[in-house]
Amino acid sequence: MIIDFSFKNFKSFKEEGLLSFVAVNSYKEHPEYVEEIDLPGLGKVQLLKALGIYGSNASGKSNVISAYRYFFEFVTSSHQNKPQEVIDRPYFKLIDQPKLHNTEFCLRFICEGIRYHFTLELNDERVTYECLEAFPNGKAQVWYEREWHKEKNTYSWSPKTSKFYELDSSRVQNTRPNMLYFSKAVDENDNQLTHLYSWFRKNFGENRSHIWLGSLAEF
């Protein structure tokens, strides 16, 4: 299940936008569309199984869905990007030197009873930040973190050794700037990430629910 999805510098959204599936405490209607969960570090919370986006024309409804779709597609298919291929990102353009500002995404979700956070930042040339965290016991387990250092013209990876997830050194070296390590790893049958990739495909790729969501946003 998705807890929430946030994004920044995407289409008409200069500042952070948040799509939350957390039900307000006062929500009593249609209990069949709410699931109560109790996870370490999160506590008891009610998550909506469905939600709607309301607003006037040109208020950004479709762009929320576009951000959701863009993120999921990049996570599941960025390993297919060719060398030197420019990352096609629809950033907010009504500022000075818009290409200098990163586009950011963060998804908090639950897979097989465990909470995960996946954070992504990118520009036209490269992924500038990528981080996968798990919270099986309430405390963050950083499986891996990848960060671009412009002044050094290189990436840093951490933790280099971890009891939670083992980075493949060869894969690290061969992950191109315009792709995610996650995408490359699952394409190469990384057993530790396969269940998460399956969750992404189930919740986005296979049922292509984003098409229905896009139509709903345009209704």
Side-chain angles (χ1 to χ4, degrees):
M1 297 187 69
I2 296 176
I3 301 172
D4 55 42
F5 171 68
S6 62
F7 57 96
K8 184 178 180 180
N9 189 25
F10 185 90
K11 289 193 172 182
S12 61
F13 285 82
K14 175 185 176 183
E15 304 300 334
E16 182 180 79
L18 177 67
L19 184 65
S20 176
F21 285 77
V22 179
V24 297
N25 293 331
S26 60
Y27 185 84
K28 303 297 182 183
E29 299 179 357
H30 305 293
E32 67 274 18
Y33 293 120
V34 176
E35 182 170 338
E36 183 172 300
I37 60 172
D38 188 359
L39 294 176
L42 192 63
K44 290 185 179 180
V45 63
Q46 291 184 325
L47 296 181
L48 301 171
K49 298 179 181 180
L51 55 77
I53 301 176
Y54 297 89
S56 59
N57 291 340
S59 62
K61 301 186 299 298
S62 297
N63 291 343
V64 174
I65 304 304
S66 293
Y68 170 91
R69 177 172 55 195
Y70 183 95
F71 171 80
F72 273 75
E73 288 183 342
F74 198 84
V75 168
T76 56
S77 63
S78 65
H79 62 278
Q80 299 174 4
N81 291 344
K82 299 177 181 178
Q84 308 300 321
E85 182 178 350
V86 173
I87 297 175
D88 182 18
R89 63 180 180 112
Y91 50 80
F92 184 84
K93 298 180 179 180
L94 300 180
I95 54 176
D96 292 335
Q97 298 181 303
K99 289 188 176 183
L100 298 182
H101 298 267
N102 290 340
T103 297
E104 305 174 13
F105 303 94
C106 182
L107 179 73
R108 301 198 306 161
F109 64 100
I110 300 168
C111 177
E112 299 179 357
I114 297 177
R115 174 166 54 106
Y116 294 89
H117 295 181
F118 194 101
T119 306
L120 162 64
E121 298 180 17
L122 49 78
N123 57 31
D124 293 352
E125 297 179 352
R126 67 181 66 250
V127 172
T128 57
Y129 186 77
E130 175 185 2
C131 183
L132 176 62
E133 299 171 282
F135 296 78
N137 300 311
K139 296 182 179 180
Q141 296 179 353
V142 181
W143 282 24
Y144 71 88
E145 186 177 33
R146 171 194 181 196
E147 185 173 9
W148 172 251
H149 299 277
K150 185 177 181 179
E151 65 282 358
K152 297 180 180 179
N153 196 38
T154 188
Y155 282 102
S156 65
W157 295 78
S158 62
K160 294 183 178 179
T161 58
S162 171
K163 62 181 179 181
F164 308 122
Y165 177 78
E166 184 178 354
L167 279 170
D168 185 295
S169 58
S170 176
R171 188 176 297 137
V172 164
Q173 294 295 324
N174 293 320
T175 299
R176 294 193 291 273
N178 61 356
M179 67 170 59
L180 287 171
Y181 174 87
F182 180 91
S183 300
K184 184 172 180 60
V186 296
D187 185 56
E188 297 179 356
N189 299 316
D190 186 313
N191 292 329
Q192 294 175 277
L193 299 178
T194 299
H195 70 295
L196 293 181
Y197 181 74
S198 297
W199 181 91
F200 276 103
R201 295 296 298 176
K202 179 181 179 181
N203 286 274
F204 179 76
E206 292 179 355
N207 58 26
R208 298 181 63 81
S209 59
H210 60 282
I211 296 177
W212 178 82
L213 286 169
S215 299
L216 177 62
E218 296 169 1
F219 179 75

